[in-house]
Amino acid sequence: MNPDYQQIVELFGLLPPEVEADPESELLTNEDEQSEPGIVIGDANLRRGDYGKAVEHYQRALRKAEGEEPETRIGLGSAYELLENAPAAMVQYRRAIRAEETLSEPHLGLADIYQRYGKSREAIEEIERAIRLEPDNPHYHHKLAEALRKLGERKKALRAIQRAVAAAPDQSFYHYWMGDLLLHMGRFEDALIALRAAIELSPGDDHLYALASLAFWGAEKYVEAIKSVRLASDLDPEKGVYYGLLHRFLLEAGQVEDAKAEEARAKTMDRYDRDLLGRFLDLAHYQPT
């Protein structure tokens, strides 16, 4: 637990997080590769990043299969996609769909490829097909929100991410994503609601406090904005942008002595930090006097 966790509790009224153990990584032995079916080995190689070998095992599984084996074709399509062989991946995804029309995964695979090549409308159509097949999958709603946001359709994107949140209210990421979108829309109070939910689920994420500070500032809650960016810098003291943001907020709030105390650390910002600071301030609709 961080030494200033009590400050976090006071700001957001949070409960202590539960610590979960990381799952053990899956490893394969040569004996496994000889004894397991090709799709099992293909899946394992896909997870560990050996995409070429995954293709070999999926192809072996298909040669041994009597039917189309749509799940194997989905795996093979994923491996081809990760090898940046989009035409081969699309062939496998489409064959999987023909073999089993109720599968949603190949539609998402096709959507990713369309998105990569700038065919946003086609990508959205495929994601919507996946959603019709699996309407309670939060990942699909998030993918739709991403695609809509890239097209500048923020209101539609908001409705999509709200469905993701409804489907998985215990996932911090979806609350964060919605808060970020609302922040970009200038809806600061609504952004704070979403970001608070994200922080309750992931209280050790410094970036969430940084975004919350921008929403607080935009909502003219300057004391909370300063407190929030301090918490972000406490959680990750190596990020110079937080000191720059804190320095600007303190100056604007008239806390000149405190601002002077942060000035030296703010000057350690590099070019990337300064660029990020500018984008942060734009999001907060920061208007220097």
Side-chain angles (χ1 to χ4, degrees):
M1 186 176 293
N2 294 298
D4 28 56
Y5 188 78
Q6 187 58 40
Q7 294 175 281
I8 301 171
V9 172
E10 290 173 359
L11 180 61
F12 291 101
L14 306 182
L15 296 175
E18 294 181 4
V19 178
E20 296 183 3
D22 292 332
E24 295 182 2
S25 59
E26 298 180 35
L27 300 175
L28 292 174
T29 64
N30 290 332
E31 185 177 344
D32 291 329
E33 296 208 2
Q34 296 299 321
S35 61
E36 293 286 359
I39 187 172
V40 174
I41 306 302
D43 289 347
N45 278 292
L46 198 64
R47 286 193 295 272
R48 68 182 182 184
D50 194 341
Y51 309 131
K53 201 166 186 180
V55 167
E56 293 176 14
H57 285 285
Y58 287 132
Q59 289 175 333
R60 183 185 301 171
L62 287 169
R63 286 194 296 270
K64 291 181 179 179
E66 295 181 0
E68 274 294 310
E69 299 294 329
E71 295 289 353
T72 307
R73 292 208 177 275
I74 292 171
L76 181 56
S78 298
Y80 278 133
E81 188 178 349
L82 290 163
L83 287 169
E84 299 187 2
N85 188 342
M90 294 184 81
V91 167
Q92 298 305 321
Y93 290 142
R94 285 171 176 156
R95 292 189 68 172
I97 292 168
R98 286 200 299 270
E100 180 54 74
E101 293 181 353
T102 62
L103 290 174
S104 60
E105 294 96 327
H107 290 289
L108 204 66
L110 289 171
D112 286 340
I113 293 171
Y114 281 134
Q115 195 72 265
R116 186 180 306 173
Y117 288 94
K119 296 185 176 182
S120 298
R121 292 297 177 189
E122 290 88 340
I124 287 171
E125 289 174 4
E126 291 295 340
I127 298 169
E128 289 175 336
R129 290 187 181 105
I131 289 172
R132 286 195 291 273
L133 291 165
E134 201 173 335
D136 295 327
N137 190 318
H139 177 59
Y140 294 175
H141 292 292
H142 169 245
K143 294 293 287 187
L144 179 59
E146 278 190 321
L148 290 166
R149 187 175 181 177
K150 286 178 181 177
L151 283 176
E153 298 183 9
R154 290 178 173 177
K155 290 183 179 179
K156 290 182 180 179
L158 180 58
R159 289 196 290 271
I161 198 61
Q162 285 171 336
R163 289 191 287 269
V165 168
D170 60 339
Q171 296 297 309
S172 175
F173 174 76
Y174 299 129
H175 293 284
Y176 146 73
W177 202 94
M178 183 164 67
D180 182 73
L181 175 61
L182 287 163
L183 189 56
H184 279 79
M185 294 171 73
R187 293 174 55 175
F188 301 115
E189 294 287 356
D190 292 332
L192 283 170
I193 294 171
L195 290 169
R196 173 176 175 169
I199 288 168
E200 288 176 345
L201 294 163
S202 186
D205 188 335
D206 59 281
H207 184 61
L208 294 177
Y209 295 98
L211 290 185
S213 75
L214 305 180
F216 277 128
W217 190 270
E220 299 183 357
K221 297 179 179 180
Y222 305 129
V223 172
E224 291 87 349
I226 291 168
K227 186 180 291 187
S228 192
V229 74
R230 282 193 187 278
L231 293 174
S233 66
D234 287 343
L235 286 166
D236 192 344
E238 299 300 315
K239 290 185 179 175
V241 66
Y242 296 155
Y243 301 120
L245 185 60
L246 178 58
H247 178 250
R248 295 287 288 272
F249 281 175
L250 289 168
L251 276 178
E252 201 63 26
Q255 299 180 33
V256 179
E257 292 303 316
D258 289 339
K260 286 181 179 178
E262 299 295 336
E263 189 172 5
R265 292 197 294 184
K267 287 181 178 178
T268 65
M269 287 190 299
D270 58 20
R271 182 177 179 180
Y272 171 81
D273 290 329
R274 289 191 294 273
D275 179 67
L276 183 56
L277 175 60
R279 285 184 277 134
F280 275 171
L281 294 174
D282 285 344
L283 274 180
H285 293 181
Y286 175 88
Q287 297 292 332
T289 55

